[in-house]
Amino acid sequence: DRILIPQEKIATRVRELAREIIADHTPPKMAGEPEITIVPVLTGAMIFCCDLIRQIPIQMRIGLLAVSSYPGASISTQGSQVLSQQLGDIRDHHVLLLDDILDSGGTLRLITPMLKQAGAISVRCCVLLRKDRPQAKQMTVDYVGFEIPDEFVVGYGLDYNNYYRNLPDIVTLKPEAVERMRG
Ligand code: 5GP
Ligand code: MG
């Protein structure tokens, strides 16, 4: 329907976020010092993660977590569920969790304790987008890319029914596009 955040603005903000993250993370200097593991929440944070980590020149490992909250042609959360994980050994690591969008907060509430349970000494959260709704504002996150209106968005990794992730901009959908998928 319309472009909410064009790719150039995303790129600029991702560089700024990387600078904030670099300032807050001291890489290990000696063996035995805590390491950093970056955990993108798949699939939505995939593109964000690829762009962000290439701007962070510090030693890090990547762990993967796949979570589903909007299965199929739904545009409201159906409750978050971990589909698969490949975190590696995060015991005594500082974990930086990356998600595409903070909406109800259910995803971060589900995952953060899991990462602590797996031995992370700290869990910081970075979301590219945060929706303007009370539940999203109540959650404490460490880094936010953009505050957006409470609308359903796709592009730059975000999907509708697993489509549109490859759009370079963050956009809203026409009602017809939603209807067609439900058809
Ligand atoms: P929460 O768990 O905070 O309710 O929602 C977070 C997850 O829901 C996100 O990781 C994302 O997968 C999905 N989500 C929430 N809002 C939107 C949206 O506007 N568009 C898309 N494509 N996914 C969303
Ligand atoms: Mg997600």
Side-chain angles (χ1 to χ4, degrees), residues 15-92:
R15 277 195 295 275
E16 289 170 2
L17 284 172
R19 281 199 291 271
E20 290 177 38
I21 291 166
I22 293 166
D24 291 346
H25 289 79
T26 332
K29 291 193 189 68
M30 288 186 302
E33 283 187 3
E35 291 192 38
I36 298 162
T37 294
I38 311 272
V39 177
V41 180
L42 300 180
T43 309
M46 171 181 81
I47 294 176
F48 176 41
C49 179
C50 293
D51 284 348
L52 183 75
I53 61 174
R54 285 179 296 166
Q55 308 277 341
I56 305 180
I58 60 183
Q59 180 182 312
M60 63 171 69
R61 298 195 211 184
I62 309 289
L64 302 176
L65 257 186
V67 176
S68 165
S69 34
Y70 284 32
S74 48
I75 55 166
S76 63
T77 185
Q78 308 295 306
S80 307
Q81 198 189 343
V82 174
L83 299 179
S84 70
Q85 51 174 307
Q86 206 176 302
L87 289 171
D89 187 359
I90 59 166
R91 275 175 297 172
D92 301 321

Side-chain angles (χ1 to χ4, degrees), residues 8 14 35 42 60 67 90 96 103 129 156 158:
E8 299 77 19
V14 167
E35 291 192 38
L42 300 180
M60 63 171 69
V67 176
I90 59 166
L96 176 64
D103 182 13
L129 309 171
Y156 196 73
L158 291 113

